[in-house]
Amino acid sequence: MINSGHGRGPDSGSNSDPFPAGLRVLVVDDDPTCLMILERMLMTCLYRVTKCNRAELALSLLRKNKNGFDIVISDVHMPDMDGFKLLEHVGLEMDLPVIMMSADDSKSVVLKGVTHGAVDYLIKPVRIEALKNIWQHVVRKKRNEWNVSEHSGGSIEDTGGDRDRQQPREDADNNSSSVNEGNWRSSSSRKRKEEEVDDQGDDKEDTSSLKKPRVVWSVELHQQFVAAVNQLGVDKAVPKKILEMMNVPGLTRENVASHLQKYRIYLRRLGGVSQHQGNMNHSFMTGQDPSFGPLSSLNGFDLQALAVVGQLPAQSLAQLQAAGLGRSSLIKPGMSSSPLVDQRSIFNFENPKVRFGDGHGQTINNGNKQMSLLHGVPTGMEPKQFAGSHMRVQQQITGVRPGQNVQSSGMVLSVADHLPRGGPSMLSSLGQQQPMFSTSVSRRSDLTGAVRNSIPETNNRVVPATHSVFNNFPADLPQNNFPLASAPGISIPVSASYQEEVNSSDAKGGSSAATAGFGNPCYDMFNNFSQQQQQHHNNKLNDWDLRNIGLAFSHQDTASASAAFSTSEAYSSSSSLRKRRETDATVVTAHGQNQQPPSRSLNHLNHVFMDGGSVRVKSERVAETVTCPPATTLFNEQYHQEDLMSALLKQEGIPSVDNEFDFDGYSIDNIPV
Amino acid sequence: MDLVQMQKSLQDYTKSLFLEGILDSQFLQLQQLQDESNPDFVSQVVTLFFQDSDRILNDLSLSLGQQVVDFKKVDPHVHQLKGSSSSIGAQRVKNACVVFRNFCEQQNVEACHRCLQQVKQEYYLVKNRLETLFKLEQQIVASGGMIPAVELGF
């Protein structure tokens, strides 16, 4: 990684460690043998390890040191506390990525990990290879958080708080963004090296300004939240009202929305409420099934996700989508669909869907939102990663809500990421889906391009559109050859037409639906945002979507991931370097709709997750597996590395050669309207 | 025995453990974690494993020896033993644990007793072999030699 310059923040001892070295890992396992081995392995990876043999102790360590750790690895079966409970606590209170591990590799347990929001699930015996890449979860999470925060308040300030996931929030009550901003600067949050974009304590003006401090849900804040929710009624609580009741300055609706998602998941788990989820969960495993019914309520996202998962047959997916599309708003702020989403979130397909929807009709909210969506998108793409935080996924799905999406997306990604890693992880179970993903991935990229242009308000709609987009992609490439990012203006007109196409293509086929699935999740996120902004976002979103998609996949071994990645790269490349930067850093801050596609963020992400070489490989694979138009593959090969490089360079502050990203003729934006 | 012979013996001995399935590739992972800065890592971990496993086997014997066997207590122990044995590469022990767990699920006391015996047997076997292995290593080191890297054909 290029971040060699980045140190960890002041509070971390290893300021000079190039990321990911110095990553602060807390490993919890009651088995002393495993604990010792893990510690040794993590140290070999140059991480800073703290080991703990009891969950309660781990929690208190985490509570005392809110910013003291980057990631937690925990065993599932522990005598004093169930690993999943610990996972939930950590997710709710500290919002750190948690990796579960166990000698138990039964599907049900692994699924539990996913639904509870773990970003990955490792099967013992854990090999060092599985641990080498855990940093990706940290980065991913941060990126998602940025997205969320960006959307939530449009505070484009250079908060950069998000980067440091664990930014110390001195003031328990001061979780508001505004406060954080100030804190962020002064706090040692910069320490996190993950922030490639963030770097040396100063976010680049143009890109990083969008970074918003991450909201840390302190105990007090959470209590306020719970009180508000209880007053409103759990089922009726909507982020807006909760926000009003809480009356915390600086807290945004998005923050509340994503937290609400998590909370609902948590409650569900406690109460054993199945609702949709029950169905969903099972449906995931079983595949196509009746669960789709409830899914449709989710808005098609689920369908896609499910489809992607490999469970849904293409046709059913298409049908479902059609049904889902019917509803324009995928996810109401009220998170009504969360239960479903929850399950689905695993697959995150929804998010991409959302995006598409937004893209088509409307601009996906402001750039900020878009950005976050994008981030989220990729996560969605990685359905494979079931392990991924369950909650997050949910968020993504329900993601329609701004902010939330981002979060979920993030998780989704993480999920996906996991897949490729560590052999024993869930990948195997998801393996079947891979093929689907790859195609969808590639598709998505196309879609994003197309979607961008036409990002409509409704998510649902988008989804189908996306599918068609892909299909038509080669032919439809809009005049603009540039990736989504490039064309805010262009996209608009394109989107209009695109949308038409998309809608009509709905009927087409399940296969596209499947792919749409991938894209949907991402798009969903955007859709939510798009409501607020128009066109600009669309463009941006597209970029992001692509990126996200790419990112999400990149992690995965599947070719699809790489394909997505590359395509997104391609798309983003068209945007100017500046644009990229912005998107990257601020993710969406879209400051005003900068048309620049989130590509930057994607690029950034790309970096993070893939090294050029690997990306390259992936894209190639994608080319093989994906049926995307050759143009896409071209992108991959040409651009992803360059894109990564650009992203890396950008982060470093070195202007990169963006030109490469101009994919004339390939960008999705060119979809003729 | 001269140094070279000792080293050869050690290599052959180690290979045999792998070939017999007593150890699996996870043990190699452990060996790779050992280096100059951590020269005794493997023996440390294995020693820890022995200590922990002795305790677990004890607990298991007690639990299974009860009038009424509480499988809710038995299962976690077996699970943990499975995890730790797999983490150090004690393949046969791990496999025996897998079988043991199945019978636990079925709440078959009789079969569980047999499984416990089997697990103990495998455990003592791997313990014995590894102790011999470490002795050989110590001899080599004491003679001023280096422990050769394990070269496994598979």
Side-chain angles (χ1 to χ4, degrees), chain A residues 144 348 355 373-383 396 409 412-414 416 444 522 525 544-545 547-553 602 605:
Chain A
N144 290 335
N348 264 339
R355 288 219 211 160
L373 285 179
L374 281 178
H375 288 312
V377 176
T379 52
M381 300 289 286
E382 312 188 341
Q396 291 183 337
S409 320
V412 177
L413 275 179
S414 53
R444 279 212 306 178
C522 305
M525 296 207 323
W544 282 100
D545 282 345
R547 285 185 188 256
N548 288 336
I549 298 175
L551 290 175
F553 289 91
L602 279 180
L605 282 175

PDB file of all heavy atoms in Angstrom, chain A residues 144 348 355 373-383 396 409 412-414 416 444 522 525 544-545 547-553 602 605:
ATOM      1  N   ASN A 144     -17.133   3.340   4.623  1.00  0.00           N
ATOM      2  CA  ASN A 144     -18.581   3.412   4.679  1.00  0.00           C
ATOM      3  C   ASN A 144     -19.050   4.464   5.627  1.00  0.00           C
ATOM      4  O   ASN A 144     -20.047   5.116   5.401  1.00  0.00           O
ATOM      5  CB  ASN A 144     -19.145   2.061   5.118  1.00  0.00           C
ATOM      6  CG  ASN A 144     -18.948   1.060   4.028  1.00  0.00           C
ATOM      7  OD1 ASN A 144     -18.846   1.431   2.879  1.00  0.00           O
ATOM      8  ND2 ASN A 144     -18.882  -0.199   4.373  1.00  0.00           N
ATOM      9  N   ASN A 348     -26.502  -7.975   0.164  1.00  0.00           N
ATOM     10  CA  ASN A 348     -26.362  -6.621  -0.241  1.00  0.00           C
ATOM     11  C   ASN A 348     -26.735  -6.334  -1.596  1.00  0.00           C
ATOM     12  O   ASN A 348     -26.264  -5.410  -2.184  1.00  0.00           O
ATOM     13  CB  ASN A 348     -24.951  -6.251  -0.190  1.00  0.00           C
ATOM     14  CG  ASN A 348     -24.803  -5.620   1.105  1.00  0.00           C
ATOM     15  OD1 ASN A 348     -25.723  -5.192   1.664  1.00  0.00           O
ATOM     16  ND2 ASN A 348     -23.659  -5.535   1.563  1.00  0.00           N
ATOM     17  N   ARG A 355     -29.261   1.813  -5.988  1.00  0.00           N
ATOM     18  CA  ARG A 355     -28.573   2.800  -6.725  1.00  0.00           C
ATOM     19  C   ARG A 355     -29.138   2.938  -8.053  1.00  0.00           C
ATOM     20  O   ARG A 355     -29.343   3.984  -8.569  1.00  0.00           O
ATOM     21  CB  ARG A 355     -27.205   2.380  -6.902  1.00  0.00           C
ATOM     22  CG  ARG A 355     -26.613   2.499  -5.683  1.00  0.00           C
ATOM     23  CD  ARG A 355     -25.348   2.976  -5.815  1.00  0.00           C
ATOM     24  NE  ARG A 355     -24.728   2.344  -4.712  1.00  0.00           N
ATOM     25  CZ  ARG A 355     -23.566   2.163  -4.576  1.00  0.00           C
ATOM     26  NH1 ARG A 355     -22.923   2.534  -5.366  1.00  0.00           N
ATOM     27  NH2 ARG A 355     -23.067   1.612  -3.629  1.00  0.00           N
ATOM     28  N   LEU A 373     -23.187   5.902  -0.767  1.00  0.00           N
ATOM     29  CA  LEU A 373     -23.832   4.740  -1.354  1.00  0.00           C
ATOM     30  C   LEU A 373     -22.805   3.895  -2.023  1.00  0.00           C
ATOM     31  O   LEU A 373     -22.783   2.700  -1.937  1.00  0.00           O
ATOM     32  CB  LEU A 373     -24.853   5.197  -2.389  1.00  0.00           C
ATOM     33  CG  LEU A 373     -26.093   5.743  -1.713  1.00  0.00           C
ATOM     34  CD1 LEU A 373     -27.072   6.218  -2.746  1.00  0.00           C
ATOM     35  CD2 LEU A 373     -26.723   4.658  -0.882  1.00  0.00           C
ATOM     36  N   LEU A 374     -22.018   4.578  -2.670  1.00  0.00           N
ATOM     37  CA  LEU A 374     -21.064   3.806  -3.409  1.00  0.00           C
ATOM     38  C   LEU A 374     -20.313   2.922  -2.481  1.00  0.00           C
ATOM     39  O   LEU A 374     -20.089   1.775  -2.732  1.00  0.00           O
ATOM     40  CB  LEU A 374     -20.081   4.734  -4.104  1.00  0.00           C
ATOM     41  CG  LEU A 374     -20.698   5.314  -5.341  1.00  0.00           C
ATOM     42  CD1 LEU A 374     -19.746   6.264  -5.983  1.00  0.00           C
ATOM     43  CD2 LEU A 374     -21.013   4.184  -6.290  1.00  0.00           C
ATOM     44  N   HIS A 375     -19.960   3.515  -1.476  1.00  0.00           N
ATOM     45  CA  HIS A 375     -19.196   2.679  -0.584  1.00  0.00           C
ATOM     46  C   HIS A 375     -20.000   1.496  -0.233  1.00  0.00           C
ATOM     47  O   HIS A 375     -19.560   0.392  -0.200  1.00  0.00           O
ATOM     48  CB  HIS A 375     -18.880   3.451   0.686  1.00  0.00           C
ATOM     49  CG  HIS A 375     -17.873   4.481   0.408  1.00  0.00           C
ATOM     50  ND1 HIS A 375     -16.741   4.214  -0.276  1.00  0.00           N
ATOM     51  CD2 HIS A 375     -17.850   5.774   0.690  1.00  0.00           C
ATOM     52  CE1 HIS A 375     -16.046   5.322  -0.366  1.00  0.00           C
ATOM     53  NE2 HIS A 375     -16.689   6.274   0.214  1.00  0.00           N
ATOM     54  N   GLY A 376     -21.161   1.829  -0.004  1.00  0.00           N
ATOM     55  CA  GLY A 376     -21.984   0.747   0.432  1.00  0.00           C
ATOM     56  C   GLY A 376     -22.124  -0.284  -0.644  1.00  0.00           C
ATOM     57  O   GLY A 376     -22.163  -1.459  -0.426  1.00  0.00           O
ATOM     58  N   VAL A 377     -22.175   0.193  -1.754  1.00  0.00           N
ATOM     59  CA  VAL A 377     -22.473  -0.749  -2.808  1.00  0.00           C
ATOM     60  C   VAL A 377     -21.536  -1.909  -2.824  1.00  0.00           C
ATOM     61  O   VAL A 377     -21.919  -3.038  -2.883  1.00  0.00           O
ATOM     62  CB  VAL A 377     -22.399  -0.054  -4.152  1.00  0.00           C
ATOM     63  CG1 VAL A 377     -22.618  -1.072  -5.228  1.00  0.00           C
ATOM     64  CG2 VAL A 377     -23.500   0.989  -4.191  1.00  0.00           C
ATOM     65  N   PRO A 378     -20.377  -1.584  -2.835  1.00  0.00           N
ATOM     66  CA  PRO A 378     -19.486  -2.712  -2.978  1.00  0.00           C
ATOM     67  C   PRO A 378     -19.773  -3.709  -1.929  1.00  0.00           C
ATOM     68  O   PRO A 378     -19.782  -4.892  -2.164  1.00  0.00           O
ATOM     69  CB  PRO A 378     -18.121  -2.130  -2.761  1.00  0.00           C
ATOM     70  CG  PRO A 378     -18.296  -0.676  -2.855  1.00  0.00           C
ATOM     71  CD  PRO A 378     -19.728  -0.351  -2.686  1.00  0.00           C
ATOM     72  N   THR A 379     -20.023  -3.223  -0.839  1.00  0.00           N
ATOM     73  CA  THR A 379     -20.214  -4.207   0.198  1.00  0.00           C
ATOM     74  C   THR A 379     -21.333  -5.108  -0.200  1.00  0.00           C
ATOM     75  O   THR A 379     -21.318  -6.278   0.013  1.00  0.00           O
ATOM     76  CB  THR A 379     -20.611  -3.509   1.487  1.00  0.00           C
ATOM     77  OG1 THR A 379     -21.700  -2.672   1.183  1.00  0.00           O
ATOM     78  CG2 THR A 379     -19.447  -2.688   1.957  1.00  0.00           C
ATOM     79  N   GLY A 380     -22.285  -4.495  -0.735  1.00  0.00           N
ATOM     80  CA  GLY A 380     -23.418  -5.324  -1.070  1.00  0.00           C
ATOM     81  C   GLY A 380     -22.968  -6.396  -2.005  1.00  0.00           C
ATOM     82  O   GLY A 380     -23.403  -7.525  -1.975  1.00  0.00           O
ATOM     83  N   MET A 381     -22.145  -6.034  -2.776  1.00  0.00           N
ATOM     84  CA  MET A 381     -21.780  -6.951  -3.802  1.00  0.00           C
ATOM     85  C   MET A 381     -21.203  -8.199  -3.249  1.00  0.00           C
ATOM     86  O   MET A 381     -21.155  -9.190  -3.901  1.00  0.00           O
ATOM     87  CB  MET A 381     -20.766  -6.295  -4.700  1.00  0.00           C
ATOM     88  CG  MET A 381     -21.352  -5.064  -5.315  1.00  0.00           C
ATOM     89  SD  MET A 381     -22.537  -5.508  -6.486  1.00  0.00           S
ATOM     90  CE  MET A 381     -21.499  -6.072  -7.752  1.00  0.00           C
ATOM     91  N   GLU A 382     -20.784  -8.114  -2.150  1.00  0.00           N
ATOM     92  CA  GLU A 382     -20.130  -9.315  -1.720  1.00  0.00           C
ATOM     93  C   GLU A 382     -21.049 -10.160  -0.919  1.00  0.00           C
ATOM     94  O   GLU A 382     -20.931 -10.292   0.245  1.00  0.00           O
ATOM     95  CB  GLU A 382     -18.983  -8.960  -0.861  1.00  0.00           C
ATOM     96  CG  GLU A 382     -18.258  -7.910  -1.568  1.00  0.00           C
ATOM     97  CD  GLU A 382     -17.004  -7.632  -0.884  1.00  0.00           C
ATOM     98  OE1 GLU A 382     -16.896  -7.977   0.264  1.00  0.00           O
ATOM     99  OE2 GLU A 382     -16.166  -7.068  -1.510  1.00  0.00           O
ATOM    100  N   PRO A 383     -21.911 -10.623  -1.506  1.00  0.00           N
ATOM    101  CA  PRO A 383     -22.839 -11.477  -0.795  1.00  0.00           C
ATOM    102  C   PRO A 383     -22.116 -12.630  -0.188  1.00  0.00           C
ATOM    103  O   PRO A 383     -22.485 -13.152   0.802  1.00  0.00           O
ATOM    104  CB  PRO A 383     -23.776 -11.945  -1.870  1.00  0.00           C
ATOM    105  CG  PRO A 383     -23.229 -11.485  -3.139  1.00  0.00           C
ATOM    106  CD  PRO A 383     -22.177 -10.461  -2.858  1.00  0.00           C
ATOM    107  N   GLN A 396     -27.538  -1.617   4.508  1.00  0.00           N
ATOM    108  CA  GLN A 396     -27.373  -1.338   3.114  1.00  0.00           C
ATOM    109  C   GLN A 396     -28.650  -1.577   2.398  1.00  0.00           C
ATOM    110  O   GLN A 396     -29.075  -0.813   1.580  1.00  0.00           O
ATOM    111  CB  GLN A 396     -26.336  -2.254   2.553  1.00  0.00           C
ATOM    112  CG  GLN A 396     -25.022  -1.865   3.124  1.00  0.00           C
ATOM    113  CD  GLN A 396     -23.984  -2.702   2.533  1.00  0.00           C
ATOM    114  OE1 GLN A 396     -24.285  -3.786   2.070  1.00  0.00           O
ATOM    115  NE2 GLN A 396     -22.783  -2.217   2.520  1.00  0.00           N
ATOM    116  N   SER A 409     -23.605  -0.971   3.354  1.00  0.00           N
ATOM    117  CA  SER A 409     -22.776  -1.329   2.225  1.00  0.00           C
ATOM    118  C   SER A 409     -21.442  -1.739   2.732  1.00  0.00           C
ATOM    119  O   SER A 409     -20.857  -2.694   2.309  1.00  0.00           O
ATOM    120  CB  SER A 409     -22.573  -0.143   1.316  1.00  0.00           C
ATOM    121  OG  SER A 409     -23.758   0.558   1.225  1.00  0.00           O
ATOM    122  N   VAL A 412     -21.430  -5.031   3.801  1.00  0.00           N
ATOM    123  CA  VAL A 412     -21.553  -6.041   2.782  1.00  0.00           C
ATOM    124  C   VAL A 412     -20.213  -6.323   2.199  1.00  0.00           C
ATOM    125  O   VAL A 412     -19.821  -7.428   1.963  1.00  0.00           O
ATOM    126  CB  VAL A 412     -22.465  -5.537   1.680  1.00  0.00           C
ATOM    127  CG1 VAL A 412     -22.517  -6.568   0.597  1.00  0.00           C
ATOM    128  CG2 VAL A 412     -23.836  -5.351   2.288  1.00  0.00           C
ATOM    129  N   LEU A 413     -19.605  -5.285   1.982  1.00  0.00           N
ATOM    130  CA  LEU A 413     -18.310  -5.480   1.382  1.00  0.00           C
ATOM    131  C   LEU A 413     -17.500  -6.387   2.236  1.00  0.00           C
ATOM    132  O   LEU A 413     -16.877  -7.304   1.790  1.00  0.00           O
ATOM    133  CB  LEU A 413     -17.586  -4.159   1.286  1.00  0.00           C
ATOM    134  CG  LEU A 413     -17.961  -3.393   0.051  1.00  0.00           C
ATOM    135  CD1 LEU A 413     -17.231  -2.099   0.020  1.00  0.00           C
ATOM    136  CD2 LEU A 413     -17.622  -4.219  -1.161  1.00  0.00           C
ATOM    137  N   SER A 414     -17.527  -6.022   3.401  1.00  0.00           N
ATOM    138  CA  SER A 414     -16.661  -6.796   4.244  1.00  0.00           C
ATOM    139  C   SER A 414     -17.029  -8.242   4.117  1.00  0.00           C
ATOM    140  O   SER A 414     -16.215  -9.112   4.126  1.00  0.00           O
ATOM    141  CB  SER A 414     -16.795  -6.338   5.681  1.00  0.00           C
ATOM    142  OG  SER A 414     -18.157  -6.364   5.995  1.00  0.00           O
ATOM    143  N   ALA A 416     -18.092  -9.711   1.703  1.00  0.00           N
ATOM    144  CA  ALA A 416     -17.550 -10.271   0.484  1.00  0.00           C
ATOM    145  C   ALA A 416     -16.073 -10.465   0.637  1.00  0.00           C
ATOM    146  O   ALA A 416     -15.507 -11.436   0.204  1.00  0.00           O
ATOM    147  CB  ALA A 416     -17.845  -9.344  -0.661  1.00  0.00           C
ATOM    148  N   ARG A 444     -23.069  -4.892 -13.178  1.00  0.00           N
ATOM    149  CA  ARG A 444     -23.298  -3.718 -12.426  1.00  0.00           C
ATOM    150  C   ARG A 444     -22.506  -2.615 -12.933  1.00  0.00           C
ATOM    151  O   ARG A 444     -22.960  -1.525 -13.035  1.00  0.00           O
ATOM    152  CB  ARG A 444     -22.963  -3.954 -11.001  1.00  0.00           C
ATOM    153  CG  ARG A 444     -24.076  -4.615 -10.394  1.00  0.00           C
ATOM    154  CD  ARG A 444     -24.166  -4.222  -9.056  1.00  0.00           C
ATOM    155  NE  ARG A 444     -22.908  -4.461  -8.475  1.00  0.00           N
ATOM    156  CZ  ARG A 444     -22.608  -4.197  -7.303  1.00  0.00           C
ATOM    157  NH1 ARG A 444     -23.451  -3.708  -6.574  1.00  0.00           N
ATOM    158  NH2 ARG A 444     -21.475  -4.407  -6.833  1.00  0.00           N
ATOM    159  N   CYS A 522     -26.218  -1.586  -4.326  1.00  0.00           N
ATOM    160  CA  CYS A 522     -25.506  -0.330  -4.363  1.00  0.00           C
ATOM    161  C   CYS A 522     -26.437   0.754  -4.747  1.00  0.00           C
ATOM    162  O   CYS A 522     -26.458   1.817  -4.179  1.00  0.00           O
ATOM    163  CB  CYS A 522     -24.390  -0.398  -5.390  1.00  0.00           C
ATOM    164  SG  CYS A 522     -23.320  -1.772  -5.079  1.00  0.00           S
ATOM    165  N   MET A 525     -28.789   2.285  -2.322  1.00  0.00           N
ATOM    166  CA  MET A 525     -28.303   3.305  -1.470  1.00  0.00           C
ATOM    167  C   MET A 525     -28.390   4.595  -2.141  1.00  0.00           C
ATOM    168  O   MET A 525     -28.755   5.603  -1.582  1.00  0.00           O
ATOM    169  CB  MET A 525     -26.881   3.018  -1.121  1.00  0.00           C
ATOM    170  CG  MET A 525     -26.866   1.757  -0.356  1.00  0.00           C
ATOM    171  SD  MET A 525     -25.519   1.665   0.707  1.00  0.00           S
ATOM    172  CE  MET A 525     -24.329   2.396  -0.232  1.00  0.00           C
ATOM    173  N   TRP A 544     -19.774   5.807  -8.173  1.00  0.00           N
ATOM    174  CA  TRP A 544     -19.547   5.117  -6.937  1.00  0.00           C
ATOM    175  C   TRP A 544     -19.973   3.707  -7.044  1.00  0.00           C
ATOM    176  O   TRP A 544     -19.356   2.805  -6.567  1.00  0.00           O
ATOM    177  CB  TRP A 544     -20.358   5.774  -5.836  1.00  0.00           C
ATOM    178  CG  TRP A 544     -19.672   6.989  -5.428  1.00  0.00           C
ATOM    179  CD1 TRP A 544     -19.955   8.249  -5.792  1.00  0.00           C
ATOM    180  CD2 TRP A 544     -18.539   7.033  -4.605  1.00  0.00           C
ATOM    181  NE1 TRP A 544     -19.072   9.081  -5.231  1.00  0.00           N
ATOM    182  CE2 TRP A 544     -18.198   8.374  -4.505  1.00  0.00           C
ATOM    183  CE3 TRP A 544     -17.770   6.073  -3.949  1.00  0.00           C
ATOM    184  CZ2 TRP A 544     -17.126   8.783  -3.759  1.00  0.00           C
ATOM    185  CZ3 TRP A 544     -16.712   6.488  -3.211  1.00  0.00           C
ATOM    186  CH2 TRP A 544     -16.408   7.827  -3.120  1.00  0.00           C
ATOM    187  N   ASP A 545     -21.061   3.615  -7.661  1.00  0.00           N
ATOM    188  CA  ASP A 545     -21.562   2.259  -7.720  1.00  0.00           C
ATOM    189  C   ASP A 545     -20.550   1.373  -8.334  1.00  0.00           C
ATOM    190  O   ASP A 545     -20.238   0.318  -7.859  1.00  0.00           O
ATOM    191  CB  ASP A 545     -22.811   2.214  -8.579  1.00  0.00           C
ATOM    192  CG  ASP A 545     -23.974   2.718  -7.780  1.00  0.00           C
ATOM    193  OD1 ASP A 545     -23.840   2.800  -6.567  1.00  0.00           O
ATOM    194  OD2 ASP A 545     -24.984   3.021  -8.385  1.00  0.00           O
ATOM    195  N   ARG A 547     -17.664   1.790  -8.560  1.00  0.00           N
ATOM    196  CA  ARG A 547     -16.527   1.575  -7.738  1.00  0.00           C
ATOM    197  C   ARG A 547     -16.842   0.623  -6.662  1.00  0.00           C
ATOM    198  O   ARG A 547     -16.101  -0.266  -6.371  1.00  0.00           O
ATOM    199  CB  ARG A 547     -16.175   2.855  -7.057  1.00  0.00           C
ATOM    200  CG  ARG A 547     -15.539   3.742  -8.006  1.00  0.00           C
ATOM    201  CD  ARG A 547     -15.124   4.881  -7.252  1.00  0.00           C
ATOM    202  NE  ARG A 547     -14.672   5.866  -8.163  1.00  0.00           N
ATOM    203  CZ  ARG A 547     -13.433   6.095  -8.321  1.00  0.00           C
ATOM    204  NH1 ARG A 547     -12.594   5.413  -7.685  1.00  0.00           N
ATOM    205  NH2 ARG A 547     -13.050   7.011  -9.123  1.00  0.00           N
ATOM    206  N   ASN A 548     -17.915   0.914  -6.118  1.00  0.00           N
ATOM    207  CA  ASN A 548     -18.208   0.062  -4.991  1.00  0.00           C
ATOM    208  C   ASN A 548     -18.299  -1.346  -5.442  1.00  0.00           C
ATOM    209  O   ASN A 548     -17.801  -2.244  -4.829  1.00  0.00           O
ATOM    210  CB  ASN A 548     -19.532   0.465  -4.366  1.00  0.00           C
ATOM    211  CG  ASN A 548     -19.335   1.766  -3.662  1.00  0.00           C
ATOM    212  OD1 ASN A 548     -18.242   2.080  -3.294  1.00  0.00           O
ATOM    213  ND2 ASN A 548     -20.396   2.493  -3.492  1.00  0.00           N
ATOM    214  N   ILE A 549     -18.920  -1.431  -6.492  1.00  0.00           N
ATOM    215  CA  ILE A 549     -19.081  -2.786  -6.967  1.00  0.00           C
ATOM    216  C   ILE A 549     -17.727  -3.404  -7.123  1.00  0.00           C
ATOM    217  O   ILE A 549     -17.466  -4.513  -6.736  1.00  0.00           O
ATOM    218  CB  ILE A 549     -19.778  -2.787  -8.319  1.00  0.00           C
ATOM    219  CG1 ILE A 549     -21.160  -2.196  -8.152  1.00  0.00           C
ATOM    220  CG2 ILE A 549     -19.832  -4.201  -8.815  1.00  0.00           C
ATOM    221  CD1 ILE A 549     -21.843  -2.049  -9.461  1.00  0.00           C
ATOM    222  N   GLY A 550     -16.962  -2.598  -7.708  1.00  0.00           N
ATOM    223  CA  GLY A 550     -15.652  -3.141  -7.974  1.00  0.00           C
ATOM    224  C   GLY A 550     -14.986  -3.492  -6.675  1.00  0.00           C
ATOM    225  O   GLY A 550     -14.397  -4.531  -6.495  1.00  0.00           O
ATOM    226  N   LEU A 551     -15.131  -2.615  -5.809  1.00  0.00           N
ATOM    227  CA  LEU A 551     -14.464  -2.841  -4.558  1.00  0.00           C
ATOM    228  C   LEU A 551     -14.983  -4.068  -3.902  1.00  0.00           C
ATOM    229  O   LEU A 551     -14.256  -4.894  -3.427  1.00  0.00           O
ATOM    230  CB  LEU A 551     -14.714  -1.671  -3.647  1.00  0.00           C
ATOM    231  CG  LEU A 551     -13.979  -0.458  -4.137  1.00  0.00           C
ATOM    232  CD1 LEU A 551     -14.341   0.712  -3.294  1.00  0.00           C
ATOM    233  CD2 LEU A 551     -12.503  -0.734  -4.071  1.00  0.00           C
ATOM    234  N   ALA A 552     -16.223  -4.101  -3.907  1.00  0.00           N
ATOM    235  CA  ALA A 552     -16.792  -5.223  -3.193  1.00  0.00           C
ATOM    236  C   ALA A 552     -16.249  -6.482  -3.770  1.00  0.00           C
ATOM    237  O   ALA A 552     -15.888  -7.401  -3.090  1.00  0.00           O
ATOM    238  CB  ALA A 552     -18.289  -5.203  -3.323  1.00  0.00           C
ATOM    239  N   PHE A 553     -16.222  -6.466  -4.988  1.00  0.00           N
ATOM    240  CA  PHE A 553     -15.809  -7.715  -5.572  1.00  0.00           C
ATOM    241  C   PHE A 553     -14.345  -7.898  -5.514  1.00  0.00           C
ATOM    242  O   PHE A 553     -13.842  -8.985  -5.491  1.00  0.00           O
ATOM    243  CB  PHE A 553     -16.256  -7.774  -7.005  1.00  0.00           C
ATOM    244  CG  PHE A 553     -17.716  -7.940  -7.052  1.00  0.00           C
ATOM    245  CD1 PHE A 553     -18.547  -6.851  -7.099  1.00  0.00           C
ATOM    246  CD2 PHE A 553     -18.236  -9.200  -6.962  1.00  0.00           C
ATOM    247  CE1 PHE A 553     -19.903  -7.024  -7.100  1.00  0.00           C
ATOM    248  CE2 PHE A 553     -19.591  -9.361  -6.953  1.00  0.00           C
ATOM    249  CZ  PHE A 553     -20.419  -8.274  -7.037  1.00  0.00           C
ATOM    250  N   LEU A 602     -13.768   5.304  -5.013  1.00  0.00           N
ATOM    251  CA  LEU A 602     -13.615   3.924  -5.435  1.00  0.00           C
ATOM    252  C   LEU A 602     -12.162   3.645  -5.637  1.00  0.00           C
ATOM    253  O   LEU A 602     -11.627   2.643  -5.238  1.00  0.00           O
ATOM    254  CB  LEU A 602     -14.355   3.680  -6.737  1.00  0.00           C
ATOM    255  CG  LEU A 602     -15.841   3.464  -6.517  1.00  0.00           C
ATOM    256  CD1 LEU A 602     -16.521   3.237  -7.823  1.00  0.00           C
ATOM    257  CD2 LEU A 602     -16.045   2.276  -5.610  1.00  0.00           C
ATOM    258  N   LEU A 605     -10.699   3.044  -2.700  1.00  0.00           N
ATOM    259  CA  LEU A 605     -11.027   1.733  -2.179  1.00  0.00           C
ATOM    260  C   LEU A 605     -10.237   0.694  -2.913  1.00  0.00           C
ATOM    261  O   LEU A 605      -9.751  -0.258  -2.356  1.00  0.00           O
ATOM    262  CB  LEU A 605     -12.507   1.465  -2.366  1.00  0.00           C
ATOM    263  CG  LEU A 605     -13.352   2.188  -1.328  1.00  0.00           C
ATOM    264  CD1 LEU A 605     -14.809   1.996  -1.627  1.00  0.00           C
ATOM    265  CD2 LEU A 605     -13.041   1.636   0.041  1.00  0.00           C
TER     266      LEU A 605
END
